[in-house]
Amino acid sequence: AEWAYIYAGSFLISAVTEDGQFQLDKLGVGDMYYFPKGAAHSLQGLEDENEILLIFDDGDFDRVGYAFKQSLNVNRMRLTAS
């Protein structure tokens, strides 16, 4: 599972719901989200400065297979995992 708290900037969050529907939301400072394990999702930073605190229920990223991709354009995301 994955939780997050947005403390700077704004993010565009896309996800596929349990019934297969596509969902798109814009989240900003103070917002939080939760995705259960295995839920397809992505996030994109929309501001020049975007900061998000990511919290996972399993910190063994190699075993679980988490992948972080940071774009090299002006919309950067600083990730912190615990």
Side-chain angles (χ1 to χ4, degrees):
E2 174 183 322
W3 296 263
Y5 175 78
I6 298 168
Y7 58 94
S10 61
F11 290 83
L12 192 60
I13 309 287
S14 62
V16 178
T17 64
E18 290 179 1
D19 60 352
Q21 298 296 311
F22 179 75
Q23 183 174 345
L24 187 64
D25 290 301
K26 181 178 177 184
L27 303 179
V29 174
D31 287 335
M32 298 178 74
Y33 70 76
Y34 167 80
F35 289 109
K37 185 174 269 186
H41 64 281
S42 68
L43 47 143
Q44 175 185 357
L46 299 175
E47 308 293 333
D48 288 340
E49 296 282 329
N50 300 291
E51 295 182 5
I52 190 169
L53 174 64
L54 292 176
I55 303 129
F56 298 95
D57 64 347
D58 186 342
D60 187 358
F61 302 121
D62 291 332
R63 183 178 63 78
V64 177
Y66 290 107
F68 295 116
K69 181 179 180 182
Q70 182 174 358
S71 93
L72 298 176
N73 64 18
V74 71
N75 295 323
R76 293 180 184 241
M77 179 174 26
R78 188 177 340 183
L79 298 177
T80 305
S82 62

